[in-house]
Amino acid sequence: MTVTGTGNAPDVVDVVALGESMVTFLPSRPGRLADVPAFHRSIGGAESNVACALAAAGHTTRWVSRVGADGFGDHLVEAIGAYGVDVSHVRRDPARPTGVYFRTAGDRAGDTHEVAYYRAGSAASAMSPAGVDLEAVRAGRVLHLSGITAALSQDCLSLMRELTAPRPGRPLISFDVNHRPGLWGEGQDPDVLLELARRADIVFVGDDEARQAWGLRGARAVRDALPEPEIVVVKQGKGGAVAFDKDIDGLCEDADGTETFVRAVHVDVVAAVGAGDAFAAGFLSATLRGLPVRDRLRHGHLAAAATLTTPGDLAPPPPRPLADRLAALDDPAWGTLRLGPGWTAADTEAAEEARTP
């Protein structure tokens, strides 16, 4: 797959990400929300996380959204813009608030994890085909979307259908399923998410999401349900990830394309939040650079490891020379790679020698 531009417009960027971002309140210590005495303010949003991570990796990015005309909206625009993301197409809504949420420190997949969302009626839920600058949204080599936006309102779903509709010259569509059952009404999400995924070019989905949303078990079953996208990446947690592609590397004569599995690196986890967004950013960065599928998966794992070894949803990606060096390791060395807190700031040579037996 070749990622091309969308025209000669002067504001074309590498990646446009559209979706809601919220002010996130992170707990000052572990425990139930009822017991946490104080919280630290941060930012959270699947699509803006990807835009920030890609900007930090040296790509040009734009975040398109809608926030309230309030202090929290100011904070989001300023904080995301500080990563180098173009925020000039974020609209302010004087009638609706910016969304916020609180979460506990534990793993999102754990039984003790709590999240309290205050996003109903948010400014972002008013996004619609008529309410965003579609030209600015489409002025990217890649347009990154997620299933979260489709769940916010009927107007948001209409916008998602407009953006994923086949049309001449559309950007490459990257779609992260991001199945959030709590955002959907009873029985609404599976068909909608499957519809949108089938209209994308690159799809990211966790095997647990595919099982919960669509009743699919196994990566091959996911690919069979999504035959249209050029690439389907099925994330398997600590085990790794598998990519099904339509022979973008030109190495396979099989009409069904190729299947590439890359195990995840061993990580000393600090906080298991934000890894999926980081993985998507790493994979897309390598895609923009034209790297082979195996290396795209490896860069996804390395970007996820950077987030897993820091306490927040966002973390600086590893320096490109370090990431390239680690992604080029042979299979035995990759299989024994272990990364802990601070690894992205370490000297590249020292990091490789210390963490690769």
Side-chain angles (χ1 to χ4, degrees):
M1 178 192 304
T2 301
V3 183
T4 60
T6 58
N8 297 317
D11 60 346
V12 169
V13 296
D14 290 333
V15 178
V16 175
L18 178 143
E20 180 174 33
S21 293
M22 294 177 289
V23 173
T24 308
F25 289 94
L26 307 175
S28 56
R29 64 174 176 80
R32 302 184 309 156
L33 286 179
D35 301 327
V36 175
F39 295 82
H40 304 290
R41 186 183 64 177
S42 184
I43 59 176
E47 301 86 1
S48 62
N49 284 349
V50 171
C52 289
L54 283 165
H59 299 281
T60 55
T61 65
R62 171 179 300 137
W63 172 53
V64 178
S65 190
R66 195 177 183 96
V67 299
D70 50 33
F72 286 151
D74 293 340
H75 174 63
L76 283 175
V77 172
E78 292 167 5
I80 294 170
Y83 278 86
V85 178
D86 172 16
V87 294
S88 62
H89 296 277
V90 177
R91 296 191 175 178
R92 310 302 292 265
D93 190 330
R96 297 177 178 84
T98 303
V100 302
Y101 76 96
F102 298 76
R103 69 169 174 82
T104 51
D107 185 344
R108 179 179 285 142
D111 293 337
T112 61
H113 185 68
E114 299 175 72
V115 180
Y117 289 107
Y118 299 91
R119 73 195 307 176
S122 69
S125 69
M127 288 190 295
S128 68
V132 301
D133 185 340
L134 294 177
E135 183 177 355
V137 174
R138 291 175 171 138
R141 298 170 64 195
V142 176
L143 172 58
H144 182 69
L145 306 167
S146 93
I148 294 172
T149 304
L152 298 180
S153 67
Q154 283 300 310
D155 281 342
C156 284
L157 176 55
S158 295
L159 175 60
M160 292 288 287
R161 284 175 167 150
E162 168 68 23
L163 294 175
T164 57
R167 56 179 287 138
R170 80 170 192 180
L172 184 146
I173 302 295
S174 165
F175 181 72
D176 193 333
V177 171
N178 264 324
H179 180 230
R180 299 287 187 270
L183 293 178
W184 294 88
E186 183 67 27
Q188 291 181 322
D189 54 325
D191 290 343
V192 169
L193 292 175
L194 192 63
E195 169 200 342
L196 295 172
R198 293 182 66 175
R199 297 165 75 164
D201 299 297
I202 299 176
V203 175
F204 301 97
V205 61
D207 57 358
D208 55 339
E209 295 177 301
R211 187 164 53 250
Q212 185 177 30
W214 304 322
L216 301 175
R217 295 183 178 275
R220 173 53 67 177
V222 176
R223 179 48 159 172
D224 289 344
L226 297 171
E228 295 89 354
E230 290 291 322
I231 301 178
V232 174
V233 179
V234 182
K235 298 173 291 183
Q236 300 172 330
K238 296 178 181 179
V242 58
F244 298 91
D245 70 85
K246 295 183 177 179
D247 194 21
I248 64 175
D249 294 332
L251 301 176
C252 179
E253 297 180 359
D254 189 339
D256 292 331
T258 59
E259 176 180 344
T260 306
F261 171 78
V262 173
R263 67 174 66 250
V265 295
H266 301 286
V267 177
D268 298 327
V269 176
V270 172
V273 180
D277 301 332
F279 181 96
F283 189 95
L284 291 175
S285 175
T287 298
L288 288 162
R289 296 169 60 197
L291 300 183
V293 173
R294 188 207 70 166
D295 290 0
R296 299 182 195 192
L297 289 168
R298 286 190 171 190
H299 278 277
H301 287 313
L302 291 169
T307 295
L308 290 169
T309 51
T310 57
D313 288 16
L314 274 168
R320 185 171 292 181
L322 173 58
D324 285 345
R325 193 186 309 274
L326 296 178
L329 293 172
D330 60 27
D331 288 342
W334 176 264
T336 56
L337 186 64
R338 189 179 190 93
L339 303 171
W343 73 272
T344 59
D347 173 79
T348 57
E349 294 290 346
E352 183 174 338
E353 292 174 4
R355 304 186 185 281
T356 306

